[in-house]
Amino acid sequence: MRRIDVETSIFALIWALRESGEESENDILFRVLSEFKSIKDSEAQSLRAESEETQLSSESTQQPTGSFESLEVKSSKKIQGQTFERERPMGKIRWVDDVFEAIRKLGGRATLHSIYREVENIRRDAGRSVPKTLDATIRRTLEDHSSDSANYRGTDLFANTGRGEWEIRQDRRA
């Protein structure tokens, strides 16, 4: 497997294109790119089978390491002179990713109300669900990822800077 870096918004678009039976980014992109290039199904399947055979033969000659190479998503953008950067393994987009992206888009610091609206926009634009409990879910996510909260669960991403105001922790800014 190869590794590519994509922005969070592109990653969300890839998963928004997912069809039933597709379980990885590779499956989704293979179908989309095959359709885009108008490759005949038999040629596309032949290419895919050839790729899988090559991968299997190279894996059989390597010592197993117990870990898998994964595609990472890297989001980096300058806002008001600061760069916010976050890397995470590819896979299901988590609430914390949407909340982090929302605060980043809002300049690194925002009120709860602004965060609610931005997360809602991010999820709608990506074709993901927006539950009725959106506000509570966002509050829980902020508290779970802030050492300022009694609900803190281990990854210290956010700081509570006042009543109803949150920011990305300084050490999470690149």
Side-chain angles (χ1 to χ4, degrees):
M1 288 279 178
R2 301 281 183 169
R3 179 180 168 237
I4 60 172
D5 294 325
V6 295
E7 292 182 2
T8 305
S9 58
I10 301 301
F11 175 73
L13 288 172
I14 292 169
W15 279 97
L17 293 171
R18 180 182 175 270
E19 290 185 356
S20 180
E22 295 174 332
E23 297 181 8
S24 70
E25 295 79 17
N26 192 62
D27 293 342
I28 299 165
L29 288 173
F30 183 83
R31 177 186 49 79
V32 170
L33 294 173
S34 293
E35 290 171 0
F36 180 75
K37 288 290 199 177
S38 300
I39 297 175
K40 294 179 190 171
D41 287 340
S42 61
E43 290 175 323
Q45 291 300 332
S46 172
L47 289 172
R48 186 174 204 177
E50 185 178 306
S51 172
E52 288 172 355
E53 287 172 13
T54 304
Q55 184 179 357
L56 287 173
S57 66
S58 69
E59 286 174 357
S60 65
T61 61
Q62 296 174 354
Q63 292 291 332
T65 61
S67 65
F68 296 92
E69 193 174 270
S70 66
L71 184 65
E72 292 180 354
V73 174
K74 186 174 187 177
S75 176
S76 177
K77 188 168 186 173
K78 277 204 170 237
I79 298 176
Q80 298 174 354
Q82 297 178 352
T83 301
F84 302 93
E85 193 168 282
R86 177 144 165 78
E87 291 188 16
R88 65 177 182 75
M90 231 16 184
K92 184 176 178 182
I93 293 181
R94 305 165 300 165
W95 278 99
V96 67
D97 301 318
D98 286 340
V99 172
F100 187 95
E101 180 69 8
I103 296 173
R104 184 194 63 76
K105 282 183 171 182
L106 293 166
R109 177 182 222 157
T111 63
L112 272 173
H113 182 72
S114 299
I115 297 168
Y116 297 155
R117 298 302 69 85
E118 190 62 34
V119 169
E120 182 177 1
N121 291 338
I122 288 169
R123 293 187 68 82
R124 284 194 197 285
D125 291 348
R128 294 194 303 277
S129 66
V130 177
K132 290 180 182 178
T133 59
L134 176 77
D135 295 2
T137 302
I138 291 170
R139 284 192 306 274
R140 185 202 70 227
T141 301
L142 287 163
E143 290 176 5
D144 285 352
H145 295 86
S146 173
S147 60
D148 300 331
S149 170
N151 295 332
Y152 176 57
R153 302 202 188 280
T155 306
D156 200 17
L157 298 174
F158 309 114
N160 186 337
T161 58
R163 186 166 171 80
E165 199 162 298
W166 293 84
E167 72 178 8
I168 297 171
R169 288 229 178 257
Q170 291 296 324
D171 61 340
R172 296 296 176 168
R173 298 177 188 199

